Amino acid sequence: MDCLFCKIFQGQIPSKKAYEDENVFAFHDIAPMAKTHILFIHKKHTANVNGLSTIHVGQVYAAIKNFTAGTELEKEGFRVVTNTGAHAGQTVFHAHFHVLGGEKLKGFGA
Ligand code: AMP
Ligand code: ZN
């Protein structure tokens, strides 16, 4: 499987790991868009979020909940973003969930 994020969670490409459990892997984004910017992925390869079952999505959100529990992210807040397809600007086609925080984030819209 020639997939950047599969290679990252399998350890074939280095990353700064933030979290791992049986199903989910998380690592720091190489080009952070906030003070804290971590990518959560399910270990099942699928191009975008619509390929994940509701159980898989639940496992990713449970991982995010576990990771943020008791941290500044939980206390002060964070944002989860999933880009899907061209209009959203998705660039890596292994479904991923951006977790952004660590500072006051800019709002959506103009
Ligand atoms: P998206 O644009 O939603 O597909 O997000 C892809 C994200 O992957 C971007 O925020 C990139 O900065 C990030 N990214 C690309 N390559 C790497 C890498 N080798 N390690 C960590 N993050 C990466
Ligand atoms: Zn993959």
Side-chain angles (χ1 to χ4, degrees), residues 57-96:
V57 173
Q59 287 167 336
V60 174
Y61 267 85
I64 292 170
K65 184 176 171 183
N66 288 340
F67 176 77
T68 56
T71 71
E72 188 205 12
L73 290 170
E74 183 187 49
K75 200 169 153 226
E76 302 295 338
F78 61 93
R79 179 177 292 158
V80 182
V81 174
T82 301
N83 293 320
T84 304
H87 277 189
Q90 185 180 2
T91 58
V92 178
F93 292 89
H94 179 127
H96 52 279

PDB file of all heavy atoms in Angstrom, residues 57-96:
ATOM      1  N   VAL A  57     -15.197   5.421  13.246  1.00  0.00           N
ATOM      2  CA  VAL A  57     -15.233   6.847  13.596  1.00  0.00           C
ATOM      3  C   VAL A  57     -15.327   6.993  15.120  1.00  0.00           C
ATOM      4  O   VAL A  57     -14.649   7.841  15.721  1.00  0.00           O
ATOM      5  CB  VAL A  57     -16.413   7.561  12.891  1.00  0.00           C
ATOM      6  CG1 VAL A  57     -16.547   8.998  13.379  1.00  0.00           C
ATOM      7  CG2 VAL A  57     -16.204   7.537  11.375  1.00  0.00           C
ATOM      8  N   GLY A  58     -16.129   6.135  15.731  1.00  0.00           N
ATOM      9  CA  GLY A  58     -16.241   6.159  17.199  1.00  0.00           C
ATOM     10  C   GLY A  58     -14.909   5.858  17.872  1.00  0.00           C
ATOM     11  O   GLY A  58     -14.568   6.465  18.899  1.00  0.00           O
ATOM     12  N   GLN A  59     -14.157   4.929  17.293  1.00  0.00           N
ATOM     13  CA  GLN A  59     -12.847   4.596  17.874  1.00  0.00           C
ATOM     14  C   GLN A  59     -11.885   5.776  17.771  1.00  0.00           C
ATOM     15  O   GLN A  59     -11.106   6.034  18.694  1.00  0.00           O
ATOM     16  CB  GLN A  59     -12.273   3.361  17.169  1.00  0.00           C
ATOM     17  CG  GLN A  59     -13.001   2.083  17.560  1.00  0.00           C
ATOM     18  CD  GLN A  59     -12.670   0.897  16.661  1.00  0.00           C
ATOM     19  OE1 GLN A  59     -12.267   1.059  15.504  1.00  0.00           O
ATOM     20  NE2 GLN A  59     -12.844  -0.302  17.192  1.00  0.00           N
ATOM     21  N   VAL A  60     -11.956   6.514  16.658  1.00  0.00           N
ATOM     22  CA  VAL A  60     -11.093   7.696  16.528  1.00  0.00           C
ATOM     23  C   VAL A  60     -11.509   8.754  17.553  1.00  0.00           C
ATOM     24  O   VAL A  60     -10.661   9.328  18.248  1.00  0.00           O
ATOM     25  CB  VAL A  60     -11.152   8.276  15.095  1.00  0.00           C
ATOM     26  CG1 VAL A  60     -10.365   9.579  15.021  1.00  0.00           C
ATOM     27  CG2 VAL A  60     -10.607   7.273  14.084  1.00  0.00           C
ATOM     28  N   TYR A  61     -12.808   8.999  17.674  1.00  0.00           N
ATOM     29  CA  TYR A  61     -13.254  10.020  18.632  1.00  0.00           C
ATOM     30  C   TYR A  61     -12.981   9.596  20.074  1.00  0.00           C
ATOM     31  O   TYR A  61     -12.661  10.440  20.924  1.00  0.00           O
ATOM     32  CB  TYR A  61     -14.723  10.386  18.392  1.00  0.00           C
ATOM     33  CG  TYR A  61     -14.839  11.584  17.472  1.00  0.00           C
ATOM     34  CD1 TYR A  61     -14.817  11.434  16.095  1.00  0.00           C
ATOM     35  CD2 TYR A  61     -14.901  12.876  17.986  1.00  0.00           C
ATOM     36  CE1 TYR A  61     -14.873  12.526  15.248  1.00  0.00           C
ATOM     37  CE2 TYR A  61     -14.956  13.979  17.153  1.00  0.00           C
ATOM     38  CZ  TYR A  61     -14.949  13.796  15.781  1.00  0.00           C
ATOM     39  OH  TYR A  61     -14.987  14.900  14.957  1.00  0.00           O
ATOM     40  N   ALA A  62     -13.057   8.302  20.363  1.00  0.00           N
ATOM     41  CA  ALA A  62     -12.705   7.827  21.710  1.00  0.00           C
ATOM     42  C   ALA A  62     -11.219   8.083  21.976  1.00  0.00           C
ATOM     43  O   ALA A  62     -10.836   8.472  23.091  1.00  0.00           O
ATOM     44  CB  ALA A  62     -13.022   6.335  21.843  1.00  0.00           C
ATOM     45  N   ALA A  63     -10.391   7.893  20.949  1.00  0.00           N
ATOM     46  CA  ALA A  63      -8.957   8.150  21.098  1.00  0.00           C
ATOM     47  C   ALA A  63      -8.709   9.643  21.360  1.00  0.00           C
ATOM     48  O   ALA A  63      -7.889  10.004  22.205  1.00  0.00           O
ATOM     49  CB  ALA A  63      -8.213   7.705  19.840  1.00  0.00           C
ATOM     50  N   ILE A  64      -9.428  10.489  20.627  1.00  0.00           N
ATOM     51  CA  ILE A  64      -9.281  11.932  20.837  1.00  0.00           C
ATOM     52  C   ILE A  64      -9.699  12.293  22.261  1.00  0.00           C
ATOM     53  O   ILE A  64      -9.028  13.067  22.951  1.00  0.00           O
ATOM     54  CB  ILE A  64     -10.104  12.722  19.786  1.00  0.00           C
ATOM     55  CG1 ILE A  64      -9.483  12.531  18.395  1.00  0.00           C
ATOM     56  CG2 ILE A  64     -10.187  14.201  20.149  1.00  0.00           C
ATOM     57  CD1 ILE A  64     -10.334  13.067  17.240  1.00  0.00           C
ATOM     58  N   LYS A  65     -10.783  11.696  22.715  1.00  0.00           N
ATOM     59  CA  LYS A  65     -11.261  11.955  24.076  1.00  0.00           C
ATOM     60  C   LYS A  65     -10.218  11.488  25.101  1.00  0.00           C
ATOM     61  O   LYS A  65      -9.905  12.209  26.058  1.00  0.00           O
ATOM     62  CB  LYS A  65     -12.589  11.225  24.286  1.00  0.00           C
ATOM     63  CG  LYS A  65     -13.233  11.478  25.620  1.00  0.00           C
ATOM     64  CD  LYS A  65     -14.581  10.783  25.691  1.00  0.00           C
ATOM     65  CE  LYS A  65     -15.135  10.835  27.096  1.00  0.00           C
ATOM     66  NZ  LYS A  65     -16.404  10.104  27.215  1.00  0.00           N
ATOM     67  N   ASN A  66      -9.663  10.290  24.898  1.00  0.00           N
ATOM     68  CA  ASN A  66      -8.630   9.783  25.821  1.00  0.00           C
ATOM     69  C   ASN A  66      -7.408  10.684  25.825  1.00  0.00           C
ATOM     70  O   ASN A  66      -6.843  10.988  26.878  1.00  0.00           O
ATOM     71  CB  ASN A  66      -8.188   8.365  25.408  1.00  0.00           C
ATOM     72  CG  ASN A  66      -9.236   7.330  25.695  1.00  0.00           C
ATOM     73  OD1 ASN A  66     -10.135   7.554  26.509  1.00  0.00           O
ATOM     74  ND2 ASN A  66      -9.153   6.188  25.022  1.00  0.00           N
ATOM     75  N   PHE A  67      -6.991  11.097  24.634  1.00  0.00           N
ATOM     76  CA  PHE A  67      -5.770  11.898  24.509  1.00  0.00           C
ATOM     77  C   PHE A  67      -5.927  13.268  25.164  1.00  0.00           C
ATOM     78  O   PHE A  67      -5.006  13.777  25.797  1.00  0.00           O
ATOM     79  CB  PHE A  67      -5.412  12.074  23.031  1.00  0.00           C
ATOM     80  CG  PHE A  67      -4.228  12.960  22.805  1.00  0.00           C
ATOM     81  CD1 PHE A  67      -2.943  12.490  23.024  1.00  0.00           C
ATOM     82  CD2 PHE A  67      -4.396  14.273  22.382  1.00  0.00           C
ATOM     83  CE1 PHE A  67      -1.840  13.316  22.833  1.00  0.00           C
ATOM     84  CE2 PHE A  67      -3.307  15.104  22.192  1.00  0.00           C
ATOM     85  CZ  PHE A  67      -2.022  14.622  22.411  1.00  0.00           C
ATOM     86  N   THR A  68      -7.117  13.871  24.995  1.00  0.00           N
ATOM     87  CA  THR A  68      -7.297  15.239  25.499  1.00  0.00           C
ATOM     88  C   THR A  68      -7.686  15.269  26.977  1.00  0.00           C
ATOM     89  O   THR A  68      -7.546  16.317  27.613  1.00  0.00           O
ATOM     90  CB  THR A  68      -8.382  15.986  24.681  1.00  0.00           C
ATOM     91  OG1 THR A  68      -9.596  15.229  24.709  1.00  0.00           O
ATOM     92  CG2 THR A  68      -7.945  16.183  23.237  1.00  0.00           C
ATOM     93  N   ALA A  69      -8.139  14.125  27.508  1.00  0.00           N
ATOM     94  CA  ALA A  69      -8.637  14.101  28.893  1.00  0.00           C
ATOM     95  C   ALA A  69      -7.582  14.634  29.870  1.00  0.00           C
ATOM     96  O   ALA A  69      -6.437  14.184  29.867  1.00  0.00           O
ATOM     97  CB  ALA A  69      -9.032  12.677  29.273  1.00  0.00           C
ATOM     98  N   GLY A  70      -7.989  15.613  30.644  1.00  0.00           N
ATOM     99  CA  GLY A  70      -7.118  16.141  31.688  1.00  0.00           C
ATOM    100  C   GLY A  70      -6.061  17.116  31.193  1.00  0.00           C
ATOM    101  O   GLY A  70      -5.222  17.567  31.973  1.00  0.00           O
ATOM    102  N   THR A  71      -6.078  17.424  29.905  1.00  0.00           N
ATOM    103  CA  THR A  71      -5.062  18.337  29.354  1.00  0.00           C
ATOM    104  C   THR A  71      -5.650  19.731  29.133  1.00  0.00           C
ATOM    105  O   THR A  71      -6.864  19.947  29.248  1.00  0.00           O
ATOM    106  CB  THR A  71      -4.526  17.828  28.000  1.00  0.00           C
ATOM    107  OG1 THR A  71      -5.571  17.987  27.026  1.00  0.00           O
ATOM    108  CG2 THR A  71      -4.096  16.368  28.081  1.00  0.00           C
ATOM    109  N   GLU A  72      -4.763  20.642  28.720  1.00  0.00           N
ATOM    110  CA  GLU A  72      -5.200  21.991  28.369  1.00  0.00           C
ATOM    111  C   GLU A  72      -6.223  21.942  27.244  1.00  0.00           C
ATOM    112  O   GLU A  72      -7.129  22.775  27.176  1.00  0.00           O
ATOM    113  CB  GLU A  72      -3.975  22.823  27.941  1.00  0.00           C
ATOM    114  CG  GLU A  72      -4.304  24.292  27.732  1.00  0.00           C
ATOM    115  CD  GLU A  72      -3.336  24.981  26.773  1.00  0.00           C
ATOM    116  OE1 GLU A  72      -2.548  24.296  26.104  1.00  0.00           O
ATOM    117  OE2 GLU A  72      -3.415  26.216  26.693  1.00  0.00           O
ATOM    118  N   LEU A  73      -6.074  20.981  26.337  1.00  0.00           N
ATOM    119  CA  LEU A  73      -7.023  20.876  25.218  1.00  0.00           C
ATOM    120  C   LEU A  73      -8.433  20.672  25.736  1.00  0.00           C
ATOM    121  O   LEU A  73      -9.384  21.308  25.267  1.00  0.00           O
ATOM    122  CB  LEU A  73      -6.622  19.729  24.290  1.00  0.00           C
ATOM    123  CG  LEU A  73      -5.353  19.944  23.462  1.00  0.00           C
ATOM    124  CD1 LEU A  73      -4.931  18.648  22.789  1.00  0.00           C
ATOM    125  CD2 LEU A  73      -5.543  21.045  22.430  1.00  0.00           C
ATOM    126  N   GLU A  74      -8.585  19.778  26.709  1.00  0.00           N
ATOM    127  CA  GLU A  74      -9.922  19.551  27.262  1.00  0.00           C
ATOM    128  C   GLU A  74     -10.413  20.789  28.012  1.00  0.00           C
ATOM    129  O   GLU A  74     -11.566  21.193  27.878  1.00  0.00           O
ATOM    130  CB  GLU A  74      -9.911  18.350  28.210  1.00  0.00           C
ATOM    131  CG  GLU A  74     -11.298  18.037  28.762  1.00  0.00           C
ATOM    132  CD  GLU A  74     -11.270  16.956  29.822  1.00  0.00           C
ATOM    133  OE1 GLU A  74     -10.445  17.035  30.749  1.00  0.00           O
ATOM    134  OE2 GLU A  74     -12.083  16.034  29.736  1.00  0.00           O
ATOM    135  N   LYS A  75      -9.495  21.402  28.766  1.00  0.00           N
ATOM    136  CA  LYS A  75      -9.873  22.528  29.615  1.00  0.00           C
ATOM    137  C   LYS A  75     -10.224  23.771  28.794  1.00  0.00           C
ATOM    138  O   LYS A  75     -11.237  24.430  29.034  1.00  0.00           O
ATOM    139  CB  LYS A  75      -8.691  22.842  30.549  1.00  0.00           C
ATOM    140  CG  LYS A  75      -9.059  23.632  31.758  1.00  0.00           C
ATOM    141  CD  LYS A  75      -7.889  23.656  32.753  1.00  0.00           C
ATOM    142  CE  LYS A  75      -7.987  24.916  33.585  1.00  0.00           C
ATOM    143  NZ  LYS A  75      -6.743  25.630  33.747  1.00  0.00           N
ATOM    144  N   GLU A  76      -9.398  24.078  27.808  1.00  0.00           N
ATOM    145  CA  GLU A  76      -9.548  25.342  27.064  1.00  0.00           C
ATOM    146  C   GLU A  76     -10.256  25.172  25.719  1.00  0.00           C
ATOM    147  O   GLU A  76     -10.686  26.144  25.120  1.00  0.00           O
ATOM    148  CB  GLU A  76      -8.165  25.974  26.822  1.00  0.00           C
ATOM    149  CG  GLU A  76      -7.371  26.255  28.090  1.00  0.00           C
ATOM    150  CD  GLU A  76      -8.032  27.304  28.979  1.00  0.00           C
ATOM    151  OE1 GLU A  76      -8.838  28.106  28.482  1.00  0.00           O
ATOM    152  OE2 GLU A  76      -7.734  27.298  30.190  1.00  0.00           O
ATOM    153  N   GLY A  77     -10.323  23.932  25.239  1.00  0.00           N
ATOM    154  CA  GLY A  77     -11.042  23.679  23.990  1.00  0.00           C
ATOM    155  C   GLY A  77     -10.135  23.317  22.831  1.00  0.00           C
ATOM    156  O   GLY A  77      -8.934  23.610  22.831  1.00  0.00           O
ATOM    157  N   PHE A  78     -10.735  22.677  21.863  1.00  0.00           N
ATOM    158  CA  PHE A  78     -10.000  22.297  20.657  1.00  0.00           C
ATOM    159  C   PHE A  78     -10.986  22.115  19.513  1.00  0.00           C
ATOM    160  O   PHE A  78     -12.198  22.095  19.717  1.00  0.00           O
ATOM    161  CB  PHE A  78      -9.176  21.007  20.887  1.00  0.00           C
ATOM    162  CG  PHE A  78     -10.003  19.800  21.249  1.00  0.00           C
ATOM    163  CD1 PHE A  78     -10.437  18.923  20.280  1.00  0.00           C
ATOM    164  CD2 PHE A  78     -10.335  19.538  22.575  1.00  0.00           C
ATOM    165  CE1 PHE A  78     -11.190  17.799  20.606  1.00  0.00           C
ATOM    166  CE2 PHE A  78     -11.082  18.425  22.913  1.00  0.00           C
ATOM    167  CZ  PHE A  78     -11.509  17.555  21.938  1.00  0.00           C
ATOM    168  N   ARG A  79     -10.456  21.984  18.315  1.00  0.00           N
ATOM    169  CA  ARG A  79     -11.280  21.826  17.110  1.00  0.00           C
ATOM    170  C   ARG A  79     -10.847  20.553  16.387  1.00  0.00           C
ATOM    171  O   ARG A  79      -9.652  20.264  16.314  1.00  0.00           O
ATOM    172  CB  ARG A  79     -11.082  23.045  16.211  1.00  0.00           C
ATOM    173  CG  ARG A  79     -11.867  23.012  14.900  1.00  0.00           C
ATOM    174  CD  ARG A  79     -11.652  24.298  14.108  1.00  0.00           C
ATOM    175  NE  ARG A  79     -12.252  25.438  14.784  1.00  0.00           N
ATOM    176  CZ  ARG A  79     -11.892  26.712  14.596  1.00  0.00           C
ATOM    177  NH1 ARG A  79     -10.915  27.006  13.743  1.00  0.00           N
ATOM    178  NH2 ARG A  79     -12.489  27.690  15.247  1.00  0.00           N
ATOM    179  N   VAL A  80     -11.829  19.826  15.846  1.00  0.00           N
ATOM    180  CA  VAL A  80     -11.538  18.643  15.023  1.00  0.00           C
ATOM    181  C   VAL A  80     -12.001  18.946  13.604  1.00  0.00           C
ATOM    182  O   VAL A  80     -13.136  19.375  13.403  1.00  0.00           O
ATOM    183  CB  VAL A  80     -12.253  17.384  15.558  1.00  0.00           C
ATOM    184  CG1 VAL A  80     -11.895  16.164  14.706  1.00  0.00           C
ATOM    185  CG2 VAL A  80     -11.890  17.139  17.021  1.00  0.00           C
ATOM    186  N   VAL A  81     -11.094  18.726  12.634  1.00  0.00           N
ATOM    187  CA  VAL A  81     -11.396  19.022  11.225  1.00  0.00           C
ATOM    188  C   VAL A  81     -11.087  17.795  10.378  1.00  0.00           C
ATOM    189  O   VAL A  81     -10.027  17.182  10.539  1.00  0.00           O
ATOM    190  CB  VAL A  81     -10.545  20.216  10.713  1.00  0.00           C
ATOM    191  CG1 VAL A  81     -10.756  20.434   9.217  1.00  0.00           C
ATOM    192  CG2 VAL A  81     -10.858  21.475  11.495  1.00  0.00           C
ATOM    193  N   THR A  82     -12.014  17.459   9.492  1.00  0.00           N
ATOM    194  CA  THR A  82     -11.767  16.379   8.532  1.00  0.00           C
ATOM    195  C   THR A  82     -12.040  16.901   7.135  1.00  0.00           C
ATOM    196  O   THR A  82     -13.196  17.157   6.788  1.00  0.00           O
ATOM    197  CB  THR A  82     -12.687  15.171   8.822  1.00  0.00           C
ATOM    198  OG1 THR A  82     -12.438  14.718  10.155  1.00  0.00           O
ATOM    199  CG2 THR A  82     -12.412  14.028   7.856  1.00  0.00           C
ATOM    200  N   ASN A  83     -10.987  17.089   6.364  1.00  0.00           N
ATOM    201  CA  ASN A  83     -11.154  17.514   4.975  1.00  0.00           C
ATOM    202  C   ASN A  83     -11.468  16.294   4.120  1.00  0.00           C
ATOM    203  O   ASN A  83     -10.820  15.254   4.244  1.00  0.00           O
ATOM    204  CB  ASN A  83      -9.872  18.188   4.475  1.00  0.00           C
ATOM    205  CG  ASN A  83      -9.604  19.503   5.181  1.00  0.00           C
ATOM    206  OD1 ASN A  83     -10.531  20.262   5.437  1.00  0.00           O
ATOM    207  ND2 ASN A  83      -8.350  19.762   5.512  1.00  0.00           N
ATOM    208  N   THR A  84     -12.468  16.444   3.248  1.00  0.00           N
ATOM    209  CA  THR A  84     -12.873  15.333   2.373  1.00  0.00           C
ATOM    210  C   THR A  84     -12.960  15.838   0.942  1.00  0.00           C
ATOM    211  O   THR A  84     -13.829  16.652   0.626  1.00  0.00           O
ATOM    212  CB  THR A  84     -14.229  14.760   2.839  1.00  0.00           C
ATOM    213  OG1 THR A  84     -14.108  14.380   4.211  1.00  0.00           O
ATOM    214  CG2 THR A  84     -14.616  13.541   2.021  1.00  0.00           C
ATOM    215  N   GLY A  85     -12.018  15.404   0.107  1.00  0.00           N
ATOM    216  CA  GLY A  85     -12.075  15.711  -1.316  1.00  0.00           C
ATOM    217  C   GLY A  85     -11.518  17.069  -1.697  1.00  0.00           C
ATOM    218  O   GLY A  85     -11.007  17.831  -0.871  1.00  0.00           O
ATOM    219  N   ALA A  86     -11.630  17.346  -2.992  1.00  0.00           N
ATOM    220  CA  ALA A  86     -10.955  18.496  -3.597  1.00  0.00           C
ATOM    221  C   ALA A  86     -11.422  19.836  -3.036  1.00  0.00           C
ATOM    222  O   ALA A  86     -10.597  20.705  -2.718  1.00  0.00           O
ATOM    223  CB  ALA A  86     -11.168  18.465  -5.111  1.00  0.00           C
ATOM    224  N   HIS A  87     -12.731  20.026  -2.908  1.00  0.00           N
ATOM    225  CA  HIS A  87     -13.216  21.333  -2.445  1.00  0.00           C
ATOM    226  C   HIS A  87     -12.756  21.646  -1.034  1.00  0.00           C
ATOM    227  O   HIS A  87     -12.631  22.817  -0.660  1.00  0.00           O
ATOM    228  CB  HIS A  87     -14.751  21.390  -2.532  1.00  0.00           C
ATOM    229  CG  HIS A  87     -15.254  21.743  -3.903  1.00  0.00           C
ATOM    230  ND1 HIS A  87     -16.575  22.018  -4.178  1.00  0.00           N
ATOM    231  CD2 HIS A  87     -14.588  21.868  -5.073  1.00  0.00           C
ATOM    232  CE1 HIS A  87     -16.705  22.312  -5.465  1.00  0.00           C
ATOM    233  NE2 HIS A  87     -15.509  22.209  -6.031  1.00  0.00           N
ATOM    234  N   ALA A  88     -12.509  20.612  -0.238  1.00  0.00           N
ATOM    235  CA  ALA A  88     -12.047  20.822   1.141  1.00  0.00           C
ATOM    236  C   ALA A  88     -10.532  20.941   1.213  1.00  0.00           C
ATOM    237  O   ALA A  88      -9.980  21.250   2.267  1.00  0.00           O
ATOM    238  CB  ALA A  88     -12.532  19.684   2.028  1.00  0.00           C
ATOM    239  N   GLY A  89      -9.852  20.653   0.091  1.00  0.00           N
ATOM    240  CA  GLY A  89      -8.395  20.758   0.074  1.00  0.00           C
ATOM    241  C   GLY A  89      -7.685  19.550   0.656  1.00  0.00           C
ATOM    242  O   GLY A  89      -6.542  19.658   1.105  1.00  0.00           O
ATOM    243  N   GLN A  90      -8.357  18.383   0.634  1.00  0.00           N
ATOM    244  CA  GLN A  90      -7.691  17.179   1.141  1.00  0.00           C
ATOM    245  C   GLN A  90      -6.463  16.874   0.289  1.00  0.00           C
ATOM    246  O   GLN A  90      -6.538  16.876  -0.947  1.00  0.00           O
ATOM    247  CB  GLN A  90      -8.653  15.984   1.118  1.00  0.00           C
ATOM    248  CG  GLN A  90      -8.054  14.726   1.738  1.00  0.00           C
ATOM    249  CD  GLN A  90      -9.013  13.528   1.712  1.00  0.00           C
ATOM    250  OE1 GLN A  90     -10.120  13.624   1.188  1.00  0.00           O
ATOM    251  NE2 GLN A  90      -8.578  12.427   2.287  1.00  0.00           N
ATOM    252  N   THR A  91      -5.331  16.632   0.948  1.00  0.00           N
ATOM    253  CA  THR A  91      -4.083  16.365   0.212  1.00  0.00           C
ATOM    254  C   THR A  91      -3.537  14.966   0.472  1.00  0.00           C
ATOM    255  O   THR A  91      -2.742  14.466  -0.321  1.00  0.00           O
ATOM    256  CB  THR A  91      -2.993  17.394   0.583  1.00  0.00           C
ATOM    257  OG1 THR A  91      -2.769  17.354   1.993  1.00  0.00           O
ATOM    258  CG2 THR A  91      -3.400  18.800   0.158  1.00  0.00           C
ATOM    259  N   VAL A  92      -3.913  14.359   1.593  1.00  0.00           N
ATOM    260  CA  VAL A  92      -3.455  12.998   1.901  1.00  0.00           C
ATOM    261  C   VAL A  92      -4.690  12.105   1.964  1.00  0.00           C
ATOM    262  O   VAL A  92      -5.611  12.359   2.763  1.00  0.00           O
ATOM    263  CB  VAL A  92      -2.671  12.941   3.228  1.00  0.00           C
ATOM    264  CG1 VAL A  92      -2.262  11.499   3.534  1.00  0.00           C
ATOM    265  CG2 VAL A  92      -1.436  13.837   3.163  1.00  0.00           C
ATOM    266  N   PHE A  93      -4.677  11.050   1.150  1.00  0.00           N
ATOM    267  CA  PHE A  93      -5.895  10.250   0.980  1.00  0.00           C
ATOM    268  C   PHE A  93      -5.868   8.987   1.835  1.00  0.00           C
ATOM    269  O   PHE A  93      -6.070   7.878   1.357  1.00  0.00           O
ATOM    270  CB  PHE A  93      -6.148  10.019  -0.513  1.00  0.00           C
ATOM    271  CG  PHE A  93      -6.503  11.337  -1.179  1.00  0.00           C
ATOM    272  CD1 PHE A  93      -5.514  12.157  -1.694  1.00  0.00           C
ATOM    273  CD2 PHE A  93      -7.812  11.795  -1.182  1.00  0.00           C
ATOM    274  CE1 PHE A  93      -5.828  13.402  -2.240  1.00  0.00           C
ATOM    275  CE2 PHE A  93      -8.140  13.036  -1.723  1.00  0.00           C
ATOM    276  CZ  PHE A  93      -7.143  13.835  -2.253  1.00  0.00           C
ATOM    277  N   HIS A  94      -5.620   9.217   3.115  1.00  0.00           N
ATOM    278  CA  HIS A  94      -5.873   8.258   4.198  1.00  0.00           C
ATOM    279  C   HIS A  94      -6.656   9.090   5.211  1.00  0.00           C
ATOM    280  O   HIS A  94      -6.133  10.105   5.709  1.00  0.00           O
ATOM    281  CB  HIS A  94      -4.551   7.725   4.786  1.00  0.00           C
ATOM    282  CG  HIS A  94      -4.723   6.763   5.915  1.00  0.00           C
ATOM    283  ND1 HIS A  94      -4.131   5.513   5.932  1.00  0.00           N
ATOM    284  CD2 HIS A  94      -5.411   6.863   7.074  1.00  0.00           C
ATOM    285  CE1 HIS A  94      -4.454   4.877   7.050  1.00  0.00           C
ATOM    286  NE2 HIS A  94      -5.222   5.690   7.769  1.00  0.00           N
ATOM    287  N   ALA A  95      -7.888   8.691   5.487  1.00  0.00           N
ATOM    288  CA  ALA A  95      -8.769   9.512   6.332  1.00  0.00           C
ATOM    289  C   ALA A  95      -8.044   9.970   7.596  1.00  0.00           C
ATOM    290  O   ALA A  95      -7.373   9.168   8.261  1.00  0.00           O
ATOM    291  CB  ALA A  95     -10.006   8.710   6.709  1.00  0.00           C
ATOM    292  N   HIS A  96      -8.191  11.253   7.906  1.00  0.00           N
ATOM    293  CA  HIS A  96      -7.520  11.775   9.099  1.00  0.00           C
ATOM    294  C   HIS A  96      -8.335  12.895   9.712  1.00  0.00           C
ATOM    295  O   HIS A  96      -9.124  13.561   9.031  1.00  0.00           O
ATOM    296  CB  HIS A  96      -6.096  12.236   8.774  1.00  0.00           C
ATOM    297  CG  HIS A  96      -6.012  13.187   7.620  1.00  0.00           C
ATOM    298  ND1 HIS A  96      -6.036  12.764   6.307  1.00  0.00           N
ATOM    299  CD2 HIS A  96      -5.917  14.535   7.578  1.00  0.00           C
ATOM    300  CE1 HIS A  96      -5.944  13.814   5.505  1.00  0.00           C
ATOM    301  NE2 HIS A  96      -5.889  14.896   6.250  1.00  0.00           N
TER     302      HIS A  96
END
